Amino acid sequence: MVNVSFPDGAVREYPRGTTGTTIVNSISKSLAKKTVAMRVDGEIVDLAQAFEQDGAIEFVLRDDDDALELIRHDCAHVLAEAVQELWPDTQVTIGPSIENGFYYDFARDQHFTEQDFVAIEKKMAEIIARGAEFTREVWDREEAKRVFKAKGEEYKVELIDAIAADEDVKIYKQGQWMDVCRGPHMRTTKDIGTAFKLTKVAGAYWRGDSNNKMLSRIYGTAWANQKQLDAYLHMIEEAEKRDHRKLGKELDLFHLQEEAQGSVFWHPKGYTIYNQMEQYIRRKVNNAGYGEVKTPQLMDSKLWEQSGHWSKFREDMFVVPDIEFSSDSEHLEIEQDAKLLALKPMNCPAHIQIFNQGIKSYRDLPLRLAEFGCCHRNEAHGALHGLMRVRQMTQDDGHIFCREDQVTSETEAFCALLDSVYEDMGFTEVKILLATRPEMRAGSDEVWDQAEKGLGDALRATGRDFEIAEGDGAFYGPKLEFHLKDAIGRSWQCGTLQLDFVLPERLGASYIAEDSSRQIPVMLHRAVLGTLERFIGILIENHAGRMPVWLAPTQAVVATIVSSVDPAALAVVEKLKAAGIRVETDFRNEKINYKVREHSTNKVPAILVLGEREANEGTVSVRRLGEQGQKVMPVEDAIAMLVAEGTPPDLR
């Protein structure tokens, strides 16, 4: 017999070998209908798995959040079966669940296209309706290889070879179709439901190696019900409309090109947004007691070796040999023992160098340094994505040097700063994760215990809710991640606060304590926006290009109906400029509706129209972006309105 513990604390005895299916059926038939898997001692497993020893059970219902990954994983298997039913010559490779969906990679002489989706989705619906059971078997390794080789599944044979010798080779079947898979799965294909859709097809190299064959990767999404699927598809449609790369081109904000991979060419309008954001966050940081600094772009590799970045991030750094060119040489020659410099990928080692100048006392702490530092990271070409993932970036970076007893108050102050900035930007929903020690890290376990406890206690003292992200910390310390939610429900990780006992010691930072002893300061790495490039990209998408008046490159356009009022319109323009409004003119010989339509397309917040009547009365007809109709008001009132809306939120 085995003892099975339930979430309510009850313990029941069952014969050894009893399955989760038998247990749930013995409790409630209605519960059994809703249950698709179970969690045994915290791990999700098949409901058909047998209890061979004592354990704690918790049932996973189909409508639970935990079931979504199962739905998507099962849907990937159904996709693979559907493809092989339609095109039997296709080899299947791997098909995991991913965020919001799943994919499967296929090897086929002719690559798939989105035109194939209708037939595939129809076949998937048929397979789901059959309701075939997912059954798990453990096979002999050589027998599994023989079976899949006979079927022409060379990729599956390679996957079986890659399974560790001490691991079982697990085969999951759904009807006659089978796959090598760790599991778990739900009871039957019918548990998947009909709320799925194939979304796109892309090329993918086998095992991510460009030397291998290119496969066809079909992506899909799956949800618990049609309402969730419709909401997700609507979000994707909105995201495509809001794509900052598309809007950046349409609104003449920036561009990127091959000759400067991952670096942004800011156009005047885009750079206006950039400057407004930088000035805003500079004021916020200065008011929070930071001293702004500027540190070198190039620094000797010895400093990066000492800090530990060279061994951890060498492949992500741009390295430059420190050489002198000879005017009489036609070729660039680099000596093997040439000193190496690196473009900084982050600012922290340089900030420690500033801290190290002169003797610091405990009375000098906390010392807060801020830098809008331009950093470079050698991101892979394929990972670059508009403003969201670049090689050259400007961080709203900062480092706080403090005593250990000041960590809590500094964490509270930073969280308050971050809250005020995100509120000003219109983001009110923020999720906090506490990321703990990664597998590859610097510092002893004792130091990490101390750091994780210190940061966790400090966060708890702020009264904020948070979740644990196991293993996602920085290599030198745990960190807080601040994830904000945008207008269409997407989550973005921007702000961070990292507690570091390691780098200050490595780079020789110290202060004189109250008892005259020499102590190592705690270093808090922090950023609110993250990088200006990425945050601006998020803002463009959040507002669908319709930036708030204070951020809009052009805040108003003065347009005329007839040329006779041009002098009066120019007088209005001068008043707007004098009030600090970014204004443009449109005195072209075009119909006013054409002008209004064009400037609305360009997302100009306000169009001030003058005809003869307005010129004579000292008024303007104001048309606001996104609003129907117009409002006639005195010029001074229109200016006051734009000044109020055009003032950055921290100055209001």
Side-chain angles (χ1 to χ4, degrees):
M1 304 295 285
V2 294
N3 292 314
V4 178
S5 305
F6 292 83
D8 63 358
V11 178
R12 297 185 185 181
E13 201 173 52
Y14 294 92
R16 189 180 307 278
T18 301
T19 65
T21 303
T22 300
I23 293 173
V24 72
N25 277 315
S26 70
I27 294 172
S28 164
K29 295 296 182 185
S30 61
L31 176 63
K33 287 180 181 179
K34 301 174 186 176
T35 302
V36 294
M38 62 181 173
R39 189 181 284 104
V40 176
D41 295 332
E43 180 184 355
I44 295 180
V45 298
D46 304 332
L47 197 59
Q49 183 165 307
F51 276 83
E52 300 297 341
Q53 58 188 25
D54 296 350
I57 192 172
E58 184 179 352
F59 298 118
V60 177
L61 309 187
R62 190 184 176 281
D63 292 336
D64 291 347
D65 290 342
D66 287 344
L68 259 183
E69 186 173 349
L70 296 172
I71 290 171
R72 290 163 181 164
H73 187 185
D74 291 5
C75 210
H77 279 234
V78 168
L79 165 62
E81 181 181 0
V83 165
Q84 288 198 314
E85 281 195 22
L86 293 167
W87 296 279
D89 61 332
T90 304
Q91 289 191 64
V92 295
T93 63
I94 58 171
S97 61
I98 56 176
E99 185 180 9
N100 296 324
F102 58 91
Y103 70 78
Y104 216 111
D105 288 346
F106 300 98
R108 182 172 176 245
D109 291 337
Q110 182 180 346
H111 289 296
F112 292 104
T113 69
E114 292 186 10
Q115 282 67 45
D116 298 317
F117 285 1
V118 173
I120 297 172
E121 287 178 344
K122 182 179 178 182
K123 181 60 68 175
M124 289 175 68
E126 290 176 12
I127 294 168
I128 289 170
R130 292 174 198 163
E133 275 189 74
F134 285 102
T135 57
R136 174 181 174 272
E137 299 177 4
V138 177
W139 284 17
D140 174 78
R141 184 180 302 266
E142 294 305 317
E143 175 66 8
K145 288 168 63 176
R146 186 192 65 76
V147 169
F148 281 100
K149 191 168 186 176
K151 290 161 63 71
E153 297 279 11
E154 298 294 336
Y155 291 92
K156 288 297 178 186
V157 173
E158 189 175 333
L159 286 172
I160 293 169
D161 278 332
I163 297 173
D166 60 346
E167 283 188 37
D168 292 331
V169 176
K170 299 173 187 173
I171 305 295
Y172 273 87
K173 294 181 177 179
Q174 56 208 54
Q176 298 303 307
W177 192 83
M178 66 179 71
D179 200 358
V180 180
C181 182
R182 289 194 180 98
H185 287 274
M186 297 186 291
R187 301 167 302 184
T188 74
T189 59
K190 195 167 283 188
D191 287 330
I192 296 168
T194 59
F196 70 90
K197 185 172 181 59
L198 302 182
T199 54
K200 65 179 179 178
V201 64
Y205 292 111
W206 171 237
R207 295 198 175 279
D209 186 342
S210 60
N211 294 316
N212 291 335
K213 183 178 177 181
M214 176 73 79
L215 308 174
S216 273
R217 175 171 293 179
I218 296 178
Y219 286 93
T221 187
W223 297 84
N225 55 59
Q226 190 64 37
K227 183 178 179 182
Q228 291 178 359
L229 174 62
D230 290 343
Y232 175 74
L233 295 176
H234 175 70
M235 185 188 78
I236 294 300
E237 183 182 350
E238 277 294 308
E240 289 174 356
K241 292 178 188 174
R242 295 164 180 258
D243 190 319
H244 72 282
R245 296 166 297 179
K246 171 174 167 284
L247 290 169
K249 184 175 182 180
E250 291 175 356
L251 301 178
D252 192 26
L253 302 178
F254 65 88
H255 83 274
L256 302 112
Q257 63 187 63
E258 286 187 7
E259 291 79 0
Q261 287 273 1
S263 299
V264 184
F265 291 80
W266 289 104
H267 298 192
K269 290 183 178 179
Y271 200 49
T272 297
I273 299 174
Y274 182 101
N275 280 328
Q276 289 297 313
M277 281 301 303
E278 186 179 60
Q279 291 164 19
Y280 163 84
I281 195 66
R282 173 174 281 116
R283 289 191 300 268
K284 296 289 287 188
V285 166
N286 287 347
N287 288 337
Y290 289 78
E292 188 175 344
V293 299
K294 190 72 173 174
T295 57
Q297 287 289 101
L298 280 168
M299 293 190 290
D300 196 304
S301 61
K302 290 180 181 178
L303 181 63
W304 300 108
E305 290 172 8
Q306 189 179 353
S307 70
H309 291 93
W310 193 257
S311 61
K312 302 289 182 183
F313 297 111
R314 164 65 186 82
E315 66 277 10
D316 297 323
M317 299 168 74
F318 289 101
V319 178
V320 182
D322 187 8
I323 58 175
E324 294 183 8
F325 291 99
S326 174
S327 59
D328 57 358
S329 175
E330 295 181 5
H331 305 288
L332 175 62
E333 295 182 2
I334 302 175
E335 297 178 5
Q336 271 195 329
D337 60 349
K339 184 165 70 171
L340 297 179
L341 305 173
L343 283 168
K344 64 177 178 181
M346 61 273 296
N347 301 299
C348 35
H351 287 192
I352 295 178
Q353 306 314 304
I354 292 177
F355 180 88
N356 285 348
Q357 301 305 300
I359 297 173
K360 299 295 186 298
S361 160
Y362 69 93
R363 295 188 182 90
D364 299 319
L365 305 182
L367 177 64
R368 308 181 188 97
L369 301 180
E371 179 173 8
F372 299 96
C374 182
C375 296
H376 291 79
R377 295 181 185 174
N378 192 9
E379 301 281 1
H381 287 195
L384 301 175
H385 179 73
L387 300 178
M388 303 303 194
R389 198 170 185 92
V390 293
R391 285 178 150 188
Q392 177 182 296
M393 69 213 74
T394 301
Q395 299 175 314
D396 68 318
D397 205 3
H399 295 91
I400 304 167
F401 298 88
C402 63
R403 304 188 307 269
E404 193 170 350
D405 65 294
Q406 295 172 321
V407 168
T408 296
S409 60
E410 289 302 306
T411 299
E412 290 175 334
F414 172 74
C415 288
L417 171 64
L418 182 136
D419 287 346
S420 70
V421 171
Y422 286 1
E423 186 177 346
D424 285 347
M425 296 298 125
F427 298 110
T428 56
E429 197 170 339
V430 181
K431 180 180 177 180
I432 305 176
L433 299 181
L434 171 56
T436 59
R437 69 194 75 185
E439 187 174 338
M440 296 294 291
R441 58 185 182 269
S444 66
D445 287 343
E446 291 76 17
V447 167
W448 274 88
D449 290 341
Q450 184 182 4
E452 287 175 351
K453 183 179 185 303
L455 192 56
D457 289 347
L459 185 55
R460 291 182 189 93
T462 70
R464 289 164 171 79
D465 295 328
F466 64 95
E467 298 176 10
I468 301 294
E470 294 284 353
D472 287 344
F475 87 90
Y476 45 72
K479 64 178 178 177
L480 303 182
E481 296 179 355
F482 297 85
H483 297 251
L484 53 84
K485 190 167 284 189
D486 70 8
I488 59 174
R490 295 172 301 180
S491 181
W492 303 94
Q493 195 259 306
C494 295
T496 183
L497 179 70
Q498 304 165 8
L499 192 155
D500 180 7
F501 288 119
V502 175
L503 286 188
E505 181 176 16
R506 283 193 166 197
L507 296 178
S510 66
Y511 69 94
I512 305 302
E514 191 170 3
D515 62 0
S516 299
S517 64
R518 189 173 292 272
Q519 300 292 328
I520 299 169
V522 180
M523 186 177 184
L524 297 174
H525 307 242
R526 44 107 293 171
V528 178
L529 305 181
T531 74
L532 285 166
E533 289 80 5
R534 186 166 182 268
F535 202 87
I536 289 170
I538 293 169
L539 284 175
I540 291 170
E541 296 197 0
N542 185 58
H543 294 292
R546 292 170 50 176
M547 307 302 281
V549 176
W550 74 275
L551 275 178
T554 302
Q555 296 172 317
V557 168
V558 175
T560 55
I561 297 174
V562 292
S563 59
S564 60
V565 302
D566 286 0
L570 280 172
V572 172
V573 169
E574 292 306 314
K575 288 182 180 180
L576 287 164
K577 287 181 177 179
I581 301 299
R582 296 186 289 275
V583 60
E584 293 181 2
T585 61
D586 190 347
F587 297 172
R588 293 175 298 167
N589 186 22
E590 299 283 358
K591 291 184 178 180
I592 191 61
N593 287 342
Y594 175 85
K595 296 180 181 182
V596 169
R597 187 163 55 250
E598 182 178 287
H599 297 303
S600 296
T601 300
N602 289 332
K603 315 293 186 187
V604 177
I607 304 170
L608 279 53
V609 178
L610 277 85
E612 290 185 354
R613 179 178 175 182
E614 287 83 3
N616 291 332
E617 295 179 353
T619 60
V620 287
S621 180
V622 181
R623 299 175 184 240
R624 299 304 302 265
L625 183 63
E627 296 180 5
Q628 295 294 322
Q630 58 193 30
K631 183 177 181 181
V632 177
M633 61 177 67
V635 171
E636 287 71 19
D637 290 355
I639 292 173
M641 174 188 70
L642 289 170
V643 167
E645 295 182 32
T647 301
D650 62 307
L651 298 178
R652 291 174 189 166

